[in-house]
Amino acid sequence: MTTHLTQETASPLHGLSRFKALNESFPHTAQILDYKRRGKKVFGWLCTYVPEEIIHATGALPIRIIGYSHEANLDDATAHLYVNNCTFSRSCLQLGLEGQYDFLDGVVGGSTCDGARRLFDIWRQYVGTPFHHVLTVPRKYTERAHQLYYHEVLAFKHHLEEYLGLKISDEALRHSTEVLNRSRQLLKRLYELRKREAPPISGAETMEVLNAAYRMPKELFNEWLTELLEELEESDRQFKGRARVMLNGSVLTNPQFIKSIEDQGALVVTDELCTSTRYWGDEVILDDGRPLLEAISRRYLNNFPCARMHPSDERFNRIIAFARAYRVDGVISQIVRYCVPYCHDLPLLTERLKEIGIPTLALDVEYGSSGSGQVATRVQAFLEMLEANRR
Amino acid sequence: MSIVRAERDKLKSIIRGAKRFARLSAETAPERRSDALYYRMLQTYYERIIRAHGEGNLIVAHTVFFPEEVIYAMDMVPMHTEATTWMITLFTGESAGVVSAGAELGLASEICTPHRGLAGAVATGVIPRPDVVLWSNLVCDNTAKSGELLVKLTGAPGFFLDHPFKETPEEIAYLAEEIADMVRFLEAVSGKKMNWDRFSEIIARMDRQLELIREINELRKAVPTPFSPQGFMQLLTADYLFPGQPEAIEYLTALRDELAAMVRSGKGAVPQERFRLMSFFLPPMYLTGFFEKISREYGAVSVTEPFFTFWGEGKLDPSKPLESVARKSYMIPEMRMYGPLDDRALKSINRCARDYRIDGAIYYADVGCRHACATIKLFKDQLAEMGIPMLTLDCDVVDPRVTSEDEVREKLEQFFELLEACRHGGKGRTEAAEAIGIGIDVGSLSTKAVIFSGREIVAHAVIPSENESEASARAALDRLLSETGLRVDGLPIVMTGTGGKSYETGYGRHGINTCLARGIHHLYPAVRTVIDLGAETTAAIRVSPEGDLTGWENQDKCAAGTGLFVQQMAKLMGVSLEEMSALSFRARSRAEISNTCAVFAESEVISHIHRDPPTPMPDLAAGIYASMAGRILAILKRIGVEREVAIVGGVAKNSGLIRILEEALGFNVIVPEEPRIVAALGAAIIAREKAGGGGS
């Protein structure tokens, strides 16, 4: 077993500790409270198919709604969503019912998966957020689907404008797109660093950066991430591991889970999650002849697919490209219990990866799990197998 | 994934079953032509599938709420995936086999049984392999993803129909264009051309079909209702399997005429209609016969199903078949539940409740159906605003291992009692002077009996239960009588409890929760919420100021918080229950027991005992109680807490648990001196009333 830098012994990064500190207060952050104090609005969005640019262009702060980063008591949410809905939807609703998302002026969702759909429905009835909007999101990538989704994005824009009593100018929308594109570029650069044989940042640390992205103004995020990237490029940090692993599957926001895997000696060099690469995925393509709003809506529908999209090959092909680019030895697929689209995809994806010589470890988890006990044992065994494969 | 040939042909079994039912119906109720027509329809449907390949036809598998008018129009043979699994269950009683086969394919348990079953059936070859697979995302992620698996299993060409979400002109147009794409796809794979004239005819008939369904729905409003208690399942099948087909028109016309005749003569479907019910989702298929039986027994009828049979308004234009079939899709009752759950969807519940004059509602909470179960509390609250109670029945539409007939019977009986009490409230109860009542509560571990004089408990007994409930009841009675010297002859005895079925007394049985409510009301009239911590189950009930049961929630799938759980914990710690309770008072802090599941909590406790240094026993006891208190609080959250709160059942004697529970609640609770006999007391009270000639 090669020795590796554990996260405790890696030299601290000022840029990273800033993000971590911000994540400590959840779900509100100092920035969110500041926005509210200045009389500005904060809108929560639920899925990667909600166009953040639209919210941003109104001057409001877009916040991603996520749940507790630990296995919390979800009794109130369970009473509403029932025991057989995923712990992600229940965890988010729990926070909503407890009043922890009371700072939200609005909630925006999409007709994405059953869990998200019902979370939105029940939230609307039982949590007193003033503004609600849900976008229809087609499941295909056809021209027709793009047109429908564009229509939905436009309707969302109009609804927001009406509610806030303003008009989103083209300049504002352009500016917001550029800001968010910058975030995507910076995150891409961050991920590129992990392609190295010995990356300077771990999977768990990367998740801290992403978590912060969801609850701070993107302008400030871009500043902080730029500084962190500079720090990383100059640092001599090196993470080594027993095998290079891609983590994928259902929604995941707990860095502790990733750390549990990395503590076993895995190098989580990349991930395919809706809270990581499926989020920042593609940039909005500007200036190629399309009107801006159309460019935005195209980007969102074509973005790194959620398992709900059809055909599933689109997602599989992208995952395989990732696996190759990051020279991944194995894939760890964590599926939240009752996460139907992802558990359906799993056997088919596992076969595709097997065809190119990449084994998969499937983990049955609850959202918020920190990955102790059983997970550690199974990851251990998986890593041993990957090491044997390499020999 | 390979396909293995098997000998039993499920479709032939379905056909045989349908034939048998048709014959039976013709013999027992020849005036009900519609029944015979219905079973003949099913026969034809499956015979067509069996003959398909021999006749050079293509079998087209499709998911639920699908525009199979298209399949009929192109003269291909549709096979409804979910319905076929239901039919296998209904007519062969052998769903477990195909569901297991599905599991063997490696299909996750998150995939609902209708889909797992169908995949299993296809994989094992007990139904013919489809030649084409069509599926859509209506109504959930399961249907949206099921097609890819079937395509993989069969190697057949497949098409996914993307069904949008909201009812807007753009989305209806999108759907129509998707369907047009699907037509092109079917033309390409079959070499056949769409017959547009036939398509238009089908649409015209579909329009007629919807008219007939609306007429039938109107007729069902009559009091008493003319349509059989579970008849809505037939209406649903007509929709699912025969849209725009002549046999469906024939069936619905015959049915409409029969119902109209019954309404004219004031006849009801059941001899004495007592409870008019609203149904949500589907009752377990394998209990269909049982539901019919129990419905008639109690005079309970399902008169409305807002999201299954209550079709929206709108006419279909045969000259525009693609657009019409898309519009029709949005008129499907279930679309109201799939599309954003807005006020319009919720108001349809109120409308139906009023128009159909319902007394109560039943939600068949299928464990595999996530998007449905998420609406349980919402609908319950919606109905509660109208003062209408709703029963939630955990079940699985196809898998009989999830819940048993006995469990369902108990819950239904309790619910009907509750509905009856809601009707009469605390009025009309007479007190019989001098009369003595006896109540016997037969539980899984212990049997409790009480003699009540009208003012006080004369005697009570708690003995271990025997294997047979009749023996338990007799033993308890004997104990009581030997103590008091009373003779049993002529004394009114009411039975309750899980085992209270078989021992017949002249005064019958009552639901355990009804008895609990009456019992606690006598002891502490201020109590509004009761938690029953039994040996194997935990329940929470709500009591009205008059002592009537107004609602309850069960926790019978989970052991945590029960007597067996705390006994097991005490055993692990090597102490008695009393010692464990005493220990907890000395706790400095509480051991963290993070797992809510009893099975995993056990291993946590073991690790607490064996770690180095071991967790102090007082802290461990307190931690276990805290975990139990957490489970109790979870049930309370579902039913809502109103003070005063009483704790009953054997586990209530754990003073350590009670203390920790009170801390968690933030107020004191009432624990009767003998907390195990409250339900038996309630039964005795009811027995007295019955003897006095009045009462519930």
Side-chain angles (χ1 to χ4, degrees), chain B residues 435-489:
Chain B
I436 276 183
I438 299 184
I440 306 181
D441 170 13
V442 181
S444 47
L445 275 193
S446 61
T447 296
K448 289 74 73 174
V450 163
I451 302 182
F452 179 67
S453 71
R455 236 169 311 181
E456 57 179 1
I457 297 174
V458 172
H460 74 266
V462 181
I463 60 168
S465 289
E466 322 224 347
N467 280 332
E468 290 221 53
S469 56
E470 189 175 328
S472 302
R474 285 199 180 284
L477 252 187
D478 287 343
R479 174 73 68 85
L480 276 186
L481 301 177
S482 68
E483 267 182 39
T484 58
L486 283 167
R487 283 158 46 91
V488 73
D489 308 340

Coordinates of all heavy atoms in Angstrom, one line a residue, chain B residues 435-489:
Chain B
A435 N -75.9 -3.2 35.6 CA -75.3 -4.2 34.7 C -73.8 -4.2 34.8 O -73.2 -3.1 35.1 CB -75.7 -3.9 33.3
I436 N -73.3 -5.3 34.6 CA -71.8 -5.5 34.6 C -71.4 -5.8 33.2 O -72.1 -6.6 32.5 CB -71.4 -6.6 35.6 CG1 -71.4 -6.1 37.0 CG2 -70.1 -7.3 35.2 CD1 -70.9 -7.1 38.0
G437 N -70.3 -5.3 32.8 CA -69.7 -5.6 31.5 C -68.4 -6.2 31.6 O -67.6 -5.9 32.5
I438 N -68.1 -7.1 30.7 CA -66.7 -7.7 30.7 C -66.0 -7.5 29.4 O -66.7 -7.6 28.3 CB -66.8 -9.3 30.9 CG1 -67.5 -9.6 32.2 CG2 -65.4 -9.9 30.8 CD1 -67.5 -11.1 32.5
G439 N -64.8 -7.1 29.5 CA -64.0 -6.8 28.2 C -62.8 -7.7 28.2 O -62.1 -7.9 29.3
I440 N -62.5 -8.4 27.1 CA -61.3 -9.2 27.0 C -60.5 -8.8 25.8 O -61.0 -8.7 24.7 CB -61.7 -10.7 26.8 CG1 -62.7 -11.1 27.9 CG2 -60.4 -11.6 26.8 CD1 -63.1 -12.6 27.8
D441 N -59.2 -8.4 26.1 CA -58.3 -8.0 25.1 C -57.2 -9.1 24.9 O -56.4 -9.3 25.7 CB -57.7 -6.6 25.5 CG -56.5 -6.2 24.6 OD1 -56.3 -6.8 23.5 OD2 -55.8 -5.3 25.1
V442 N -57.3 -9.8 23.7 CA -56.4 -10.8 23.5 C -55.2 -10.3 22.7 O -55.3 -9.9 21.5 CB -57.0 -12.0 22.7 CG1 -56.0 -13.1 22.5 CG2 -58.2 -12.5 23.5
G443 N -54.0 -10.2 23.3 CA -52.8 -9.7 22.6 C -51.9 -10.8 22.2 O -52.1 -11.9 22.5
S444 N -50.8 -10.4 21.5 CA -49.9 -11.4 21.1 C -49.1 -12.0 22.2 O -48.8 -13.2 22.2 CB -48.9 -10.8 20.1 OG -48.4 -9.5 20.6
L445 N -48.8 -11.2 23.3 CA -48.1 -11.8 24.4 C -48.9 -12.0 25.6 O -48.8 -13.0 26.3 CB -46.9 -10.8 24.8 CG -45.6 -11.0 24.1 CD1 -44.5 -10.2 24.8 CD2 -45.2 -12.4 24.0
S446 N -49.9 -11.1 25.9 CA -50.7 -11.3 27.1 C -52.2 -11.0 26.8 O -52.5 -10.3 25.8 CB -50.2 -10.3 28.2 OG -50.3 -9.0 27.7
T447 N -53.0 -11.6 27.6 CA -54.5 -11.4 27.5 C -54.9 -10.7 28.7 O -54.6 -11.1 29.8 CB -55.2 -12.7 27.3 OG1 -54.8 -13.3 26.1 CG2 -56.7 -12.6 27.2
K448 N -55.7 -9.6 28.5 CA -56.2 -8.8 29.6 C -57.7 -8.9 29.7 O -58.4 -8.9 28.7 CB -55.8 -7.4 29.4 CG -54.3 -7.1 29.5 CD -53.4 -7.5 28.4 CE -53.5 -6.7 27.1 NZ -52.5 -7.2 26.1
A449 N -58.2 -9.0 30.9 CA -59.7 -9.0 31.0 C -60.1 -8.1 32.2 O -59.4 -8.0 33.2 CB -60.2 -10.4 31.3
V450 N -61.3 -7.5 32.0 CA -61.7 -6.5 33.0 C -63.2 -6.7 33.3 O -64.0 -6.9 32.3 CB -61.5 -5.1 32.5 CG1 -62.3 -4.0 33.3 CG2 -60.0 -4.7 32.6
I451 N -63.6 -6.6 34.5 CA -65.1 -6.6 34.9 C -65.3 -5.2 35.3 O -64.7 -4.7 36.2 CB -65.4 -7.6 36.0 CG1 -65.0 -9.0 35.6 CG2 -66.9 -7.5 36.3 CD1 -65.4 -10.1 36.6
F452 N -66.3 -4.6 34.7 CA -66.6 -3.1 35.0 C -68.1 -3.0 35.4 O -69.0 -3.6 34.8 CB -66.4 -2.3 33.7 CG -66.6 -0.9 33.8 CD1 -65.8 -0.1 34.6 CD2 -67.7 -0.3 33.1 CE1 -66.1 1.3 34.7 CE2 -67.9 1.1 33.2 CZ -67.1 1.9 34.1
S453 N -68.3 -2.3 36.5 CA -69.6 -2.2 37.0 C -70.4 -1.0 36.6 O -71.5 -0.8 36.9 CB -69.5 -2.2 38.6 OG -69.0 -0.9 39.0
G454 N -69.7 -0.1 35.9 CA -70.4 1.2 35.6 C -69.8 2.3 36.3 O -69.8 3.4 35.9
R455 N -69.2 1.9 37.5 CA -68.5 3.0 38.3 C -67.1 2.6 38.5 O -66.2 3.5 38.5 CB -69.2 3.1 39.6 CG -69.7 4.5 39.8 CD -70.6 4.6 41.0 NE -71.7 3.6 41.0 CZ -72.6 3.5 41.9 NH1 -72.6 4.3 42.9 NH2 -73.5 2.6 41.8
E456 N -66.8 1.4 38.6 CA -65.4 1.0 39.0 C -65.1 -0.3 38.3 O -65.9 -1.1 37.9 CB -65.3 0.9 40.5 CG -66.2 -0.1 41.0 CD -66.1 -0.4 42.5 OE1 -65.3 0.3 43.1 OE2 -66.9 -1.2 43.0
I457 N -63.8 -0.6 38.3 CA -63.3 -1.9 37.8 C -63.4 -2.8 39.0 O -62.8 -2.7 40.0 CB -61.8 -1.8 37.4 CG1 -61.7 -0.8 36.2 CG2 -61.3 -3.1 37.1 CD1 -60.3 -0.5 35.8
V458 N -64.3 -3.8 38.8 CA -64.5 -4.8 39.9 C -63.3 -5.7 40.0 O -62.9 -6.1 41.1 CB -65.8 -5.6 39.6 CG1 -66.0 -6.7 40.5 CG2 -67.0 -4.7 39.5
A459 N -62.8 -6.2 38.9 CA -61.7 -7.1 38.9 C -61.0 -7.0 37.6 O -61.6 -6.7 36.5 CB -62.1 -8.5 39.2
H460 N -59.7 -7.4 37.6 CA -59.0 -7.4 36.3 C -58.0 -8.5 36.3 O -57.5 -8.9 37.4 CB -58.4 -6.1 35.9 CG -57.1 -5.8 36.7 ND1 -57.2 -5.0 37.8 CD2 -55.8 -6.1 36.5 CE1 -55.9 -4.9 38.3 NE2 -55.1 -5.6 37.5
A461 N -57.6 -9.0 35.2 CA -56.6 -10.1 35.1 C -55.7 -9.9 33.9 O -56.2 -9.4 32.9 CB -57.3 -11.4 35.0
V462 N -54.4 -10.2 34.1 CA -53.5 -10.1 33.0 C -52.7 -11.5 33.0 O -52.0 -11.8 33.9 CB -52.5 -9.0 33.1 CG1 -51.5 -9.0 31.9 CG2 -53.2 -7.7 33.3
I463 N -52.9 -12.2 31.9 CA -52.3 -13.5 31.9 C -51.5 -13.7 30.6 O -51.9 -13.0 29.6 CB -53.3 -14.7 32.1 CG1 -54.3 -14.6 30.9 CG2 -54.0 -14.6 33.4 CD1 -55.2 -15.9 30.9
P464 N -50.5 -14.6 30.5 CA -49.9 -14.8 29.2 C -50.8 -15.4 28.2 O -51.7 -16.3 28.6 CB -48.7 -15.8 29.6 CG -48.7 -15.9 31.0 CD -50.0 -15.5 31.6
S465 N -50.7 -15.0 27.0 CA -51.6 -15.5 25.9 C -51.2 -16.9 25.6 O -50.0 -17.3 25.6 CB -51.5 -14.6 24.7 OG -52.1 -13.4 24.9
E466 N -52.2 -17.7 25.2 CA -51.9 -19.1 24.7 C -51.9 -19.0 23.2 O -52.1 -17.9 22.6 CB -53.1 -20.0 25.2 CG -53.6 -19.7 26.6 CD -53.8 -20.9 27.4 OE1 -53.8 -22.0 26.8 OE2 -53.9 -20.8 28.6
N467 N -51.6 -20.1 22.6 CA -51.5 -20.1 21.1 C -52.8 -19.8 20.5 O -52.9 -19.1 19.4 CB -51.0 -21.5 20.6 CG -49.5 -21.6 20.8 OD1 -48.8 -20.6 20.8 ND2 -49.0 -22.8 21.0
E468 N -53.9 -20.3 21.0 CA -55.2 -20.0 20.4 C -55.9 -18.9 21.2 O -56.0 -19.0 22.4 CB -56.1 -21.3 20.5 CG -55.6 -22.4 19.6 CD -56.8 -23.1 18.9 OE1 -57.6 -22.3 18.4 OE2 -56.8 -24.3 19.0
S469 N -56.5 -18.0 20.5 CA -57.1 -16.9 21.2 C -58.3 -17.3 22.0 O -58.6 -16.7 23.1 CB -57.5 -15.8 20.2 OG -58.3 -16.3 19.2
E470 N -59.0 -18.3 21.5 CA -60.2 -18.8 22.3 C -59.7 -19.3 23.7 O -60.3 -19.0 24.7 CB -60.9 -19.9 21.5 CG -62.2 -20.2 22.1 CD -63.0 -21.2 21.3 OE1 -62.8 -21.2 20.1 OE2 -63.7 -22.0 21.9
A471 N -58.6 -20.0 23.7 CA -58.1 -20.6 24.9 C -57.7 -19.4 25.9 O -57.9 -19.4 27.1 CB -56.9 -21.5 24.7
S472 N -57.0 -18.4 25.3 CA -56.6 -17.2 26.0 C -57.8 -16.6 26.7 O -57.7 -16.2 27.9 CB -55.9 -16.2 25.2 OG -54.8 -16.8 24.5
A473 N -58.8 -16.3 25.9 CA -60.0 -15.6 26.4 C -60.6 -16.4 27.5 O -61.0 -15.8 28.6 CB -61.0 -15.4 25.3
R474 N -60.7 -17.7 27.3 CA -61.4 -18.6 28.4 C -60.5 -18.5 29.7 O -61.1 -18.4 30.8 CB -61.5 -20.0 27.9 CG -62.6 -20.2 26.9 CD -63.0 -21.6 26.8 NE -64.1 -21.7 25.8 CZ -65.3 -21.4 26.0 NH1 -65.7 -20.9 27.2 NH2 -66.2 -21.5 25.1
A475 N -59.2 -18.6 29.5 CA -58.4 -18.6 30.7 C -58.5 -17.3 31.5 O -58.6 -17.3 32.7 CB -56.9 -18.9 30.2
A476 N -58.6 -16.2 30.7 CA -58.7 -14.9 31.4 C -60.0 -14.8 32.1 O -60.1 -14.3 33.2 CB -58.5 -13.8 30.3
L477 N -61.0 -15.3 31.5 CA -62.4 -15.2 32.1 C -62.4 -16.1 33.3 O -62.9 -15.6 34.4 CB -63.4 -15.8 31.1 CG -64.4 -14.9 30.4 CD1 -65.4 -15.7 29.6 CD2 -65.1 -14.0 31.4
D478 N -61.8 -17.3 33.2 CA -61.8 -18.2 34.4 C -61.1 -17.5 35.5 O -61.6 -17.5 36.7 CB -61.1 -19.5 34.1 CG -61.9 -20.4 33.1 OD1 -63.1 -20.1 33.0 OD2 -61.3 -21.3 32.5
R479 N -60.0 -16.8 35.3 CA -59.3 -16.2 36.3 C -60.2 -15.1 37.0 O -60.2 -15.0 38.2 CB -58.0 -15.5 35.7 CG -57.3 -14.6 36.7 CD -56.5 -15.5 37.7 NE -55.4 -16.2 37.0 CZ -54.2 -15.7 36.8 NH1 -53.9 -14.4 37.2 NH2 -53.3 -16.4 36.2
L480 N -60.8 -14.3 36.2 CA -61.7 -13.3 36.7 C -62.8 -13.8 37.6 O -63.1 -13.4 38.7 CB -62.3 -12.5 35.6 CG -61.6 -11.4 34.9 CD1 -62.5 -10.7 33.9 CD2 -61.1 -10.4 35.9
L481 N -63.4 -14.9 37.0 CA -64.6 -15.4 37.7 C -64.2 -16.1 39.0 O -64.9 -16.0 40.0 CB -65.3 -16.4 36.8 CG -65.8 -15.8 35.5 CD1 -66.5 -16.8 34.6 CD2 -66.8 -14.6 35.8
S482 N -63.0 -16.7 39.0 CA -62.6 -17.4 40.3 C -62.3 -16.3 41.3 O -62.5 -16.6 42.5 CB -61.4 -18.3 40.0 OG -60.3 -17.5 39.7
E483 N -61.8 -15.2 40.9 CA -61.5 -14.1 41.8 C -62.8 -13.5 42.4 O -62.8 -13.2 43.6 CB -60.8 -13.0 41.1 CG -59.3 -13.1 41.2 CD -58.6 -11.9 40.5 OE1 -59.1 -10.8 40.6 OE2 -57.6 -12.1 39.9
T484 N -63.8 -13.4 41.6 CA -65.0 -12.6 42.0 C -66.1 -13.5 42.4 O -67.1 -13.1 43.0 CB -65.4 -11.7 40.9 OG1 -65.7 -12.5 39.8 CG2 -64.4 -10.7 40.6
G485 N -66.1 -14.8 42.0 CA -67.2 -15.7 42.3 C -68.4 -15.4 41.4 O -69.4 -16.0 41.6
L486 N -68.2 -14.6 40.4 CA -69.4 -14.3 39.5 C -69.6 -15.5 38.5 O -68.6 -16.2 38.3 CB -69.1 -13.1 38.7 CG -69.3 -11.7 39.4 CD1 -68.7 -10.6 38.6 CD2 -70.7 -11.5 39.6
R487 N -70.8 -15.6 38.0 CA -71.1 -16.6 37.0 C -71.1 -15.8 35.6 O -71.7 -14.7 35.6 CB -72.4 -17.3 37.2 CG -72.3 -18.3 38.3 CD -73.7 -18.6 38.9 NE -74.7 -18.7 37.8 CZ -75.0 -19.9 37.3 NH1 -74.5 -21.0 37.7 NH2 -75.9 -20.0 36.3
V488 N -70.6 -16.5 34.6 CA -70.5 -15.8 33.4 C -71.8 -15.8 32.6 O -72.0 -14.9 31.7 CB -69.3 -16.5 32.5 CG1 -69.8 -17.8 32.0 CG2 -68.9 -15.6 31.4
D489 N -72.7 -16.7 32.9 CA -73.9 -16.8 32.0 C -74.7 -15.5 31.9 O -75.0 -14.9 33.0 CB -74.9 -17.9 32.5 CG -74.1 -19.2 32.8 OD1 -73.1 -19.4 32.2 OD2 -74.6 -20.0 33.6

